[in-house]
């Protein structure tokens, strides 16, 4: 398959080396975090099995609950799973979890690569706004396992996710260990003081847009993250995850208004073999240049004007980032060089 063809480097600048490195190594170069060697069949099978368990976990819980009235074994398993919600959800940003060989295996499986459009100031706290969410933000999750050591030079890095994810056994603890907290203005303001924070503004609504010939994102009315950035005076870094929309599909679409209202992914994920198993496509994260932000208090009459202007510059930067690097990604994935980014 064209998506699985490997390139040792992409000539955007100086040749990139394989393995984790500093920001300079991936500066305008496509750096494969796990190298470009062939993945043995047994590793591919192990990656598929662990991915299926993790992503299908919510459906396993649902089946156990439906079977519980008829099966003591299912009832016991369901009770054991849900009882883990009583366990302390700590530690936040657990380094052993971030360095887990499971995540390294997944990165290898998807030929995970990173490009920096600009060298970032590691002493600066940034708000990273990642697109697209896709049916499942797997590339964003893998990015968190890279960011703490592959170019951010040990900087504390946190993520935001829908609070519904923290009501699911297993997911709740894994997300916390990766440095992810429930998405809220309070959490964003709190953690941006400790380090960098990544958010995915498209959220649940974008799950229903995954797939098709072009990438669709919700951004035009998503200004909450910009408002906090302006209030705090924090630069915004646009990030685009190529391939994330092709991993899984989600539906049916008529569930969208209910899912958005309840802040829950109401529908079914499906990919390889019709299962909630991601299709094997290459993933490439491109980190764009920071969008400068003027610090303005919410009580200032200019606040909304500055938010709108900053939001417009962010959209333009994200569009330019996509248009510049889609051909780079398209060199390993057929059809992506001409793929358009449609902003809603």
């Amino acid at each position: 398959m064209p998506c699985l063809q490997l390139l040792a480097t992409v000539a955007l600048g100086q040749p990139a080396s394989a393995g984790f490195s500093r920001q300079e190594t991936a500066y305008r170069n496509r750096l494969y975090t796990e190298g470009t060697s062939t993945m043995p069949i047994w590793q591919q099978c192990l990656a598929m099995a662990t991915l299926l368990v993790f992503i299908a976990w919510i459906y396993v819980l649902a089946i156990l609950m439906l079977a519980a009235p008829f099966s003591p074994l299912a009832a016991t398993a369901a009770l054991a799973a849900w009882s883990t919600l009583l366990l302390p959800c700590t530690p936040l940003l657990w380094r052993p979890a971030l360095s887990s060989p499971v995540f390294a295996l997944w990165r290898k499986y998807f030929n995970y690569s990173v490009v920096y459009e600009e060298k970032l100031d590691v002493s600066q706290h940034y708000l990273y706004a990642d697109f697209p969410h896709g049916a499942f933000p797997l590339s964003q999750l893998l990015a968190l396992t890279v960011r703490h050591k592959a170019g951010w030079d040990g900087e504390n890095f946190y993520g935001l996710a829908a609070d519904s994810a923290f009501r699911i056994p297993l997911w709740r603890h894994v997300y916390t260990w990766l440095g992810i907290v429930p998405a809220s203005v309070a959490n964003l303001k709190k953690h941006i003081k400790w380090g960098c924070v990544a958010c995915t503004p498209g959220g649940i609504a974008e799950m229903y847009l995954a797939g098709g010939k072009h990438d669709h994102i919700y951004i035009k009315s998503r200004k909450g993250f910009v408002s906090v950035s302006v209030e705090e005076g924090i630069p915004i870094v646009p990030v685009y995850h190529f391939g994330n929309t092709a991993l899984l599909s989600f539906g049916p679409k008529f569930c969208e208004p209910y899912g958005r209202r309840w802040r829950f992914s109401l529908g079914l994920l499906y990919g390889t073999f019709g299962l909630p198993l991601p299709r094997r496509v290459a993933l490439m994260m491109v980190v764009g240049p920071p969008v400068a932000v003027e610090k303005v208090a919410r009580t200032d009459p200019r606040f909304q004007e500055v938010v709108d202007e900053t939001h417009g510059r962010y959209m333009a930067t994200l569009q330019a980032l996509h248009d510049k690097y889609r051909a780079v990604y398209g060199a390993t994935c057929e059809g992506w060089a001409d793929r358009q980014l449609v902003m809603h």
Side-chain angles (χ1 to χ4, degrees):
M1 294 176 61
C3 284
L4 299 184
Q5 295 173 357
L6 299 177
L7 293 182
T9 182
V10 175
L12 299 174
Q14 296 179 352
S17 59
F20 286 121
S21 185
R22 292 180 178 273
Q23 218 181 89
E24 289 80 1
T25 309
Y27 173 53
R28 297 187 179 180
N29 288 277
R30 188 173 181 179
L31 170 67
Y32 288 89
T33 63
E34 309 307 310
T36 58
S37 60
T38 303
M39 192 176 195
I41 294 296
W42 71 270
Q43 288 188 359
Q44 295 181 36
C45 293
L46 182 59
M48 293 173 67
T50 50
L51 281 164
L52 182 61
V53 169
F54 182 71
I55 296 176
W57 176 242
I58 190 170
Y59 303 118
V60 173
L61 287 174
I63 293 172
L64 289 175
M65 292 178 66
L66 290 173
F70 313 101
S71 169
L73 181 60
T76 301
L79 180 61
W82 287 103
S83 64
T84 62
L85 294 179
L86 300 176
L87 299 175
C89 200
T90 56
L92 179 64
L93 204 62
W94 190 30
R95 303 295 175 179
L98 288 162
S99 302
S100 169
V102 173
F103 295 124
L105 184 71
W106 293 358
R107 292 193 301 265
K108 181 69 174 177
Y109 184 74
F110 294 111
N111 302 324
Y112 202 83
S113 58
V114 182
V115 180
Y116 292 85
E117 174 64 11
E118 185 173 305
K119 297 176 184 178
L120 303 179
D121 180 359
V122 296
S123 65
Q124 170 71 55
H125 291 184
Y126 296 103
L127 172 58
Y128 289 72
D130 295 35
F131 283 92
H133 182 285
F136 191 89
L138 183 59
S139 185
Q140 286 87 333
L141 286 179
L142 293 179
L144 288 173
T145 69
V146 173
R147 283 166 164 164
H148 76 291
K149 57 183 176 180
W152 279 259
D153 294 334
E155 176 69 81
N156 288 336
F157 211 106
Y158 303 92
L160 302 177
D163 52 9
S164 58
F166 295 86
R167 295 193 288 268
I168 305 298
L170 179 65
W171 284 7
R172 176 174 181 258
H173 285 84
V174 171
Y175 278 28
T176 300
W177 294 338
L178 295 182
I180 303 174
V181 296
S184 69
V185 171
N187 271 336
L188 175 50
K189 289 183 175 181
K190 175 182 178 181
H191 291 86
I192 202 68
K193 291 179 172 62
W194 298 353
C196 296
V197 176
C199 65
T200 309
I204 291 172
E206 267 185 25
M207 296 178 68
Y208 300 92
L209 298 178
K213 295 181 179 179
H214 304 295
D215 277 1
H216 294 258
I217 65 172
Y218 279 119
I219 178 60
K220 291 184 177 179
S221 63
R222 303 299 170 98
K223 299 182 180 181
F225 70 101
V226 180
S227 297
V228 175
S229 177
V230 169
E231 187 178 12
E232 298 295 319
I234 302 295
I236 307 173
V237 177
V239 182
Y240 203 85
H241 295 265
F242 287 92
N244 199 55
T245 55
L247 293 175
L248 290 158
S249 302
F250 188 77
K253 190 169 176 58
F254 70 78
C255 293
E256 179 179 0
Y258 305 102
R260 295 176 66 177
R261 182 184 308 166
W262 299 330
R263 290 179 57 80
F264 192 81
S265 51
L266 189 62
L268 294 175
L269 288 164
Y270 56 95
T272 303
F273 308 130
L275 299 172
L277 173 64
R279 304 176 185 97
R280 194 182 182 193
V281 298
L283 293 175
M284 183 176 81
M285 176 179 70
V286 181
V287 182
V291 175
V293 176
E294 178 186 357
K295 185 175 183 179
V296 178
R298 285 184 180 267
T299 54
D300 191 306
R302 297 177 52 248
F303 180 76
Q304 191 57 50
E305 177 186 343
V306 174
V307 168
D308 292 343
E309 188 273 335
T310 305
H311 183 261
R313 284 191 291 116
Y314 171 83
M315 288 178 57
T317 305
L318 184 69
Q319 181 72 64
L321 192 70
H322 172 274
D323 292 349
K324 178 176 181 178
Y325 284 96
R326 63 182 178 180
V328 175
Y329 182 71
T332 54
C333 286
E334 185 178 359
W336 284 79
D338 299 320
R339 196 176 179 92
Q340 301 296 314
L341 173 59
V342 183
M343 297 184 175
H344 298 270

